Amino acid sequence: MNSYFRNEDNIAMKLHYDVLKDDFSRAGEASSKIKNMLRQLVIDANILRRIAIATYEAEINLVIHSLGGTIDVYIKPECVEIYIEDYGPGIENVELAMTKGYSTATTIAREMGFGAGMGLPNMEKVSDEFVIESILNVGTKIKMVVNY
């Protein structure tokens, strides 16, 4: 996979978070930090809510489904760009994974209240732009943009 969609022009601030596989004790920590930082920047409440949903869903997907990954947030004058990248295993059928309610979460994740199959659909719903690329045994990259 390449950096097919990263745009580092006009970045006012960049945030970076590493997310570990199966780290349920810290799941949601990065998205909470992102939300708090954007709140300090006096981002509109509706925009803040959308970004919080997008980053939380992405973070939970990294914990549940990946071998670990990263969240990068580019705060720009006109938007917030969110880049998710994981280290595998990739998504076998992206179209199916985008279906509301479809989940490959483990029983353990479901027992903890995760894995309802709404992560990717919710991420797309709250984004003004949503791009996903996944290669089996390599990983998945997602770009989400929320405009002001």
Side-chain angles (χ1 to χ4, degrees):
M1 288 191 298
N2 57 31
S3 295
Y4 65 103
F5 52 50
R6 288 211 183 220
N7 179 356
E8 298 198 11
D9 297 339
N10 295 324
I11 298 173
M13 182 181 294
K14 180 179 176 182
L15 308 173
H16 174 85
Y17 300 93
D18 294 309
V19 180
L20 303 175
K21 171 185 174 51
D22 295 330
D23 190 1
F24 291 99
S25 65
R26 293 181 53 207
E29 188 175 289
S31 55
S32 179
K33 287 179 180 179
I34 292 164
K35 180 180 177 182
N36 289 336
M37 174 58 71
L38 293 174
R39 183 178 287 132
Q40 290 177 17
L41 297 174
V42 195
I43 301 292
D44 176 78
N46 182 50
I47 300 297
L48 184 62
R49 180 189 61 77
R50 292 171 56 205
I51 293 166
I53 291 168
T55 56
Y56 178 79
E57 295 287 11
E59 184 176 5
I60 295 304
N61 279 354
L62 287 172
V63 170
I64 294 173
H65 300 290
S66 80
L67 303 177
T70 59
I71 301 172
D72 288 307
V73 178
Y74 296 176
I75 302 165
K76 297 184 171 189
E78 72 284 354
C79 67
V80 173
E81 295 179 0
I82 305 157
Y83 297 93
I84 311 302
E85 188 169 350
D86 73 33
Y87 312 121
I91 300 170
E92 186 171 341
N93 184 331
V94 172
E95 187 176 334
L96 183 58
M98 292 298 299
T99 305
K100 291 180 182 180
Y102 177 80
S103 179
T104 58
T106 63
T107 302
I108 293 169
R110 290 177 193 262
E111 288 173 353
M112 296 174 79
F114 302 109
M118 293 303 295
L120 290 174
N122 281 342
M123 291 161 59
E124 182 178 41
K125 181 180 177 181
V126 299
S127 300
D128 293 306
E129 180 183 340
F130 180 87
V131 180
I132 183 169
E133 176 185 271
S134 190
I135 299 173
L136 281 178
N137 302 313
V138 176
T140 302
K141 290 184 178 183
I142 296 173
K143 174 185 178 181
M144 296 177 281
V145 177
V146 178
N147 298 319
Y148 302 134

